[in-house]
Amino acid sequence: MTNLTDWGFPQALLDRVNQPENALPARVTAVWKERFQLITQQGEQYARLKTKEFFFEAGRSFPTTGDYVLALPAPGDWQLVETLPRKSFFSRLDGWRGVEQAVAANMDLAVAVQSLNEDFSPKRLERYLTLAWNSGARPLVVLTKADLPGDHGEKLAAAQETAGADVPVLAVSAKTGAGMDQLQACLTPGRTAAFLGSSGVGKSSLVNCLAGEEVMSTSGVRERDGKGRHTTTHRQLLRLASGLLVIDTPGMRELGMWDAAEGLSAAFPDVERYFGQCRFRDCKHENEPGCAIQAAIERGELSQDRWKSYCQLAGESRASQRMKWGQQSRSVSKNRRQGEKYRKNFSGKA
């Protein structure tokens, strides 16, 4: 019998979970569209949602990789009936559909991975850190390919300045093993770490190095721009021999904000420290007299680039908030119409 606590399932949650209809606790280890891979007390199983409507109408969270769930055993695919409370949840805006896209759940560490090649981007790192803080997990920055020739000091300094003093920034090489001891010290057994980053930054190579064997397929990057192909095609939770739990995710070139107000506060304390210090309460931080933000920029205490980044990400977060409220309003209206139709059909009226 599989011990679910070895897979990060909290014992306290196992002790108090209500298991209706003989449903059993499980953890989602992979997602393929409408099919889920689970680790259960009976080993590895596959499952499908009871129905989408069942989850949608009851306001249940749709499961993603790392979720704790309840599932009903069946001869074929099991039946998912409940997503249990999450301790952390990383999501982004799906720009194509304009909806929230779940990436990973119940991780202790959100590891933002960037490469020390031409694709290194402090701006992209700001996005990952904002969403990482917003998820409820602890952020960690890992800069891969430290074996590349050249002096990486400037990029390391830029990453640490972006991350802030409370977030470790590690430079590592999966090829030579440089820096891996420091990384291993952060990734203790029993913890779940979600590796997040663009395609080609070396997430899968990093996971293989941590595992001591090839557990994820890898591919190279294009020489002309240092960018890579999507090696990982689905989100997967792995348990390494060390006891560390790793969620490897497909590369994300676009990372839209989804209602990340709390993450902004944690990722940009150097900006928000000036809020409330302006002469006017409704200051827009543009050309108003007595603006604390503009004064800090003039004194060199706050960079113009950091302020612009904050404004851009805050604007995207507010837009996604409005989008979410609109979707919730439409869902309520749809449920109300369905309820009225049901009552009409079964009330004896034509």
Side-chain angles (χ1 to χ4, degrees), residues 11-322:
Q11 184 62 52
L13 185 57
L14 281 172
D15 292 339
R16 71 171 187 268
V17 67
N18 181 24
Q19 300 178 24
E21 305 176 55
N22 299 316
L24 298 178
R27 192 171 192 191
V28 179
T29 55
V31 180
W32 294 278
K33 293 187 178 179
E34 297 181 356
R35 200 167 188 235
F36 301 80
Q37 181 179 307
L38 310 178
I39 189 70
T40 76
Q41 293 167 332
Q42 299 179 18
E44 186 177 280
Q45 303 290 341
Y46 290 86
R48 296 180 185 271
L49 297 180
K50 184 175 181 178
T51 64
K52 287 186 178 180
E53 291 73 20
F54 174 78
F55 271 74
F56 181 78
E57 292 174 2
R60 293 175 170 85
S61 298
F62 284 81
T64 190
T65 303
D67 262 321
Y68 311 131
V69 297
L70 293 178
L72 287 168
D77 285 349
W78 288 26
Q79 194 175 74
L80 282 174
V81 296
E82 186 70 72
T83 303
L84 298 174
R86 294 162 168 159
K87 63 181 178 182
S88 60
F89 178 62
F90 189 99
S91 65
R92 65 167 182 167
L93 172 65
D94 184 334
W96 289 97
R97 297 181 297 159
V99 297
E100 182 180 25
Q101 182 186 48
V103 176
N106 297 314
M107 58 278 181
D108 301 290
L109 288 170
V111 185
V113 184
Q114 284 214 337
S115 171
L116 286 167
N117 61 10
E118 296 81 0
D119 201 33
F120 173 77
S121 170
K123 295 294 184 185
R124 193 179 304 123
L125 184 57
E126 286 173 336
R127 288 179 174 270
Y128 276 103
L129 287 168
T130 297
L131 290 175
W133 279 117
N134 201 67
S135 74
R138 183 78 180 175
L140 171 66
V141 176
V142 174
L143 304 179
T144 61
K145 305 182 184 179
D147 55 283
L148 290 174
D151 182 6
H152 305 303
E154 187 175 335
K155 291 176 180 176
L156 277 166
Q160 190 65 73
E161 182 179 359
T162 300
D166 294 334
V167 179
V169 176
L170 306 177
V172 306
S173 169
K175 184 176 181 179
T176 67
M180 292 303 296
D181 287 344
Q182 289 178 288
L183 179 58
Q184 287 275 16
C186 297
L187 305 176
T188 53
R191 305 182 83 185
T192 300
F195 285 75
L196 310 154
S198 304
S199 57
V201 298
K203 297 189 303 298
S204 296
S205 296
L206 200 58
V207 171
N208 289 338
C209 189
L210 289 168
E213 60 180 319
E214 186 169 344
V215 293
M216 302 298 298
S217 61
T218 60
S219 64
V221 298
R222 298 190 297 261
E223 291 184 3
R224 69 177 184 273
D225 57 9
K227 297 178 181 179
R229 298 182 297 274
H230 295 290
T231 304
T232 303
T233 57
H234 61 278
R235 295 175 288 280
Q236 177 128 27
L237 171 66
L238 304 168
R239 186 175 184 272
L240 307 187
S242 65
L244 173 69
L245 297 158
V246 170
I247 298 177
D248 191 22
T249 63
M252 293 177 284
R253 178 62 54 186
E254 299 297 330
L255 194 68
M257 294 292 103
W258 182 262
D259 192 5
E262 293 183 14
L264 277 167
S265 296
F268 289 86
D270 53 329
V271 173
E272 293 201 355
R273 61 180 289 200
Y274 296 104
F275 289 177
Q277 298 183 26
C278 299
R279 182 185 302 175
F280 302 107
R281 186 178 300 176
D282 60 348
C283 183
K284 296 181 180 178
H285 313 301
E286 295 173 351
N287 299 313
E288 296 87 348
C291 174
I293 292 288
Q294 294 302 323
I297 292 174
E298 291 175 7
R299 293 193 300 267
E301 297 175 3
L302 177 65
S303 75
Q304 184 73 45
D305 285 344
R306 283 286 282 176
W307 173 238
K308 286 181 179 179
S309 292
Y310 179 88
C311 291
Q312 180 178 350
L313 298 182
E316 291 181 25
S317 179
R318 287 192 296 269
S320 70
Q321 267 188 330
R322 292 192 294 270

